[in-house]
Amino acid sequence: TPESEGILELRRNAVTWLEENTDGELNSLIGYQDYGIFDDPDLNTYIQIVALQSAISGMGVRYNMGSYSLAEGYNQRVLLPDDVLSSQSGICIETAILFATAIQAADMHAMILFLPGHAQVAVETQSGSGMYYLVETTMLPFDGAVDEMESLVTEMTSEDWAYYLEDPWGDGSGSVYVVDCDLIKTLGIQGIDYQA
């Protein structure tokens, strides 16, 4: 639901965060456009990730450490992004979907990662780069402090990703399932009761 009222408000709040924290150099969510602000264009994506998570936190959303399951025969009830924003609470899959939706609304490429017992988001560093940042969307509250940024966003090499996707917890408990959010448009998938 990247065009919903809640996501639009979230985007506005992220833009305010960007303006305040870049001394006005960034005054919009620019997606993958390179305005030459940073030496490394990937930092444009990085700072937008931080802005979106800060905006989610600023809207009062907190991580609710409830259970979620991908086990066969079980259903998982998941709130839509606007419902997570209005309830100010979400389990890992809900914060991941909220964040991935905000990334899509900023015209960037997101993937939702389903680890054994957890969900995260991967955001492509640049359009078509094939390189991704790992984002821990349950870091709520989040104020954008430098030490928090390092826990929120992890930059990984291709080799790091290969190991991570095979065994994210490093204990043999299972691999990662990846859902490419760009396929949602291609397949025409919409949230239940979503009205465009």
Side-chain angles (χ1 to χ4, degrees):
T1 57
E3 298 303 322
S4 69
E5 285 301 316
I7 295 297
L8 294 175
E9 181 182 355
L10 171 59
R11 290 181 56 167
R12 285 189 293 272
N13 292 338
V15 167
T16 298
W17 188 95
L18 283 169
E19 286 176 328
E20 291 171 359
N21 289 276
T22 65
D23 295 325
E25 288 189 67
L26 277 177
N27 57 10
S28 66
L29 290 171
I30 60 172
Y32 292 129
Q33 298 176 60
D34 182 9
Y35 286 2
I37 296 170
F38 303 107
D39 291 336
D40 180 356
D42 291 356
L43 291 178
N44 288 322
T45 303
Y46 186 96
I47 197 70
Q48 289 174 95
I49 289 170
V50 172
L52 287 167
Q53 187 73 1
S54 295
I56 290 168
S57 181
M59 293 173 77
V61 177
R62 298 298 178 256
Y63 172 53
N64 175 0
M65 195 170 169
S67 62
Y68 114 88
S69 174
L70 281 178
E72 189 172 325
Y74 290 93
N75 292 322
Q76 177 70 47
R77 171 169 250 161
V78 178
L79 295 175
L80 290 171
D82 280 9
D83 296 325
V84 173
L85 292 170
S86 66
S87 71
Q88 297 184 327
S89 176
I91 61 174
C92 61
I93 184 57
E94 292 166 341
T95 61
I97 290 172
L98 170 61
F99 191 84
T101 301
I103 289 294
Q104 283 187 296
D107 201 25
M108 293 188 286
H109 184 202
M111 295 193 186
I112 299 175
L113 309 178
F114 293 94
L115 294 65
H118 193 47
Q120 296 173 313
V121 174
V123 178
E124 194 167 20
T125 61
Q126 287 295 306
S127 181
S129 71
M131 297 301 297
Y132 293 83
Y133 289 123
L134 176 65
V135 183
E136 180 51 64
T137 64
T138 61
M139 283 197 61
L140 294 164
F142 177 82
D143 67 9
V146 173
D147 60 329
E148 284 188 324
M149 288 183 199
E150 293 172 2
S151 298
L152 173 70
V153 184
T154 304
E155 187 173 3
M156 299 199 307
T157 66
S158 297
E159 186 176 281
D160 293 337
W161 274 111
Y163 288 121
Y164 189 78
L165 295 174
E166 186 64 33
D167 187 12
W169 300 120
D171 62 3
S173 62
S175 59
V176 177
Y177 293 95
V178 179
V179 175
D180 186 335
C181 295
D182 283 357
L183 291 178
I184 291 170
K185 294 176 197 172
T186 303
L187 298 173
I189 296 171
Q190 295 181 340
I192 296 170
D193 293 333
Y194 174 66
Q195 298 172 4

